[in-house]
Amino acid sequence: MKSSPYRWKDESAARFAQQHDAVLAVGRSQARPGEVSLSPATVREARDVRRLVLPSPNGSTIAQSMAGVAGEVIGVSLRNATAAAAWTAARLRSDKACGVAVVAAGEQWSNGALRPAVEDLWGAGAYLSALRRHGFDALSPEAQSAVAAFAHVSGDIARQLHAAASGRELAADGYRQDVDVAAEIDRSEVVPVLVERSFRAAALVASDRNSDT
C-alpha cells in the first residue's frame, strides 16, 4: 500500500485523493463500517486499498514540511524501529557525511498548541537505541533522553501505552485496539520512505532506483 500524508482533511484533501485514485481516510469517529479511518485497526482490516491519503495536523504535517528541507524522510514507530534503524545504518555507512534528525511528532491541542506525546518519545528512543546497536552512538543530549525514556518502559510497553494519556483517551473513546497495535514492537519490517508526496516501502524505492540505472 502507498500512503500519502496530507496536512488537513478538507476539500483539497478530497481532491488530492481523487486525483491520485486513492482512498481518503476519515476521522476515527466519522468512520462507518468498512471505511478506512485514522485508526490503525481499520487500515489493517482494509482490503484492495492500494493508495491511501492520511490527513493529520501532526505526523502528516511534519512529514510534508520536512520533505522540502530534509534529505530522506522515513516513517518510524515502535512497530518498525529496529528495521528502520538497520536501513538508516546502511545509508550512514555509504555516506559518511550525512546525519540523522529524529522528530517525535507529538500532537496538537484544539487551539493549535503543542501537545507532547510520551508514546512518540518512546518510539524515537526505540529507534535510536537500535541505531546505537549498529555502532552509531554519537547522540545529542535530547536523543540520549529519548533512549533512556524508552529503556525505562521497554519491558512493559503495552501497559505503559495504555496508561499514558493518549492511550487512556483512545480506550475511553472505544479505540483500545489502536493502542494494542501501537504496542506491537518490531512486528513490521517495512521502512516507509517519503518519495515526492507519498510513503513507499524502502524495498520498492530501491527497486525503482535500480531499474533506472
Side-chain angles (χ1 to χ4, degrees), residues 114-196:
L114 175 65
R115 174 185 176 179
V118 70
E119 63 272 18
D120 289 351
L121 179 66
W122 294 336
Y127 168 72
L128 289 163
S129 297
L131 199 56
R132 289 181 72 179
R133 293 196 293 272
H134 287 277
F136 299 96
D137 54 3
L139 304 182
S140 68
E142 292 84 356
Q144 293 175 36
S145 296
V147 169
F150 173 68
H152 184 69
V153 301
S154 60
D156 190 28
I157 193 67
R159 189 180 71 83
Q160 294 290 343
L161 284 170
H162 278 286
S166 297
R168 296 197 309 271
E169 182 179 309
L170 285 169
D173 290 340
Y175 303 106
R176 182 180 179 85
Q177 188 177 357
D178 286 353
V179 187
D180 293 334
V181 172
E184 295 173 350
I185 292 185
D186 288 331
R187 183 70 61 85
S188 174
E189 295 184 356
V190 175
V191 181
V193 180
L194 190 62
V195 179
E196 294 180 348

Side-chain angles (χ1 to χ4, degrees), residues 54-169:
L54 291 168
S56 80
N58 37 67
S60 291
T61 298
I62 290 172
Q64 284 284 320
S65 299
M66 294 188 69
V69 297
E72 289 189 285
V73 178
I74 64 173
V76 182
S77 70
L78 290 166
R79 299 187 74 256
N80 74 335
T82 295
W87 182 90
T88 303
R91 307 294 280 188
L92 290 173
R93 292 189 188 99
S94 65
D95 185 354
K96 303 295 185 181
C98 71
V100 177
V102 180
V103 179
E107 298 179 349
Q108 288 185 351
W109 294 107
S110 56
N111 64 0
L114 175 65
R115 174 185 176 179
V118 70
E119 63 272 18
D120 289 351
L121 179 66
W122 294 336
Y127 168 72
L128 289 163
S129 297
L131 199 56
R132 289 181 72 179
R133 293 196 293 272
H134 287 277
F136 299 96
D137 54 3
L139 304 182
S140 68
E142 292 84 356
Q144 293 175 36
S145 296
V147 169
F150 173 68
H152 184 69
V153 301
S154 60
D156 190 28
I157 193 67
R159 189 180 71 83
Q160 294 290 343
L161 284 170
H162 278 286
S166 297
R168 296 197 309 271
E169 182 179 309

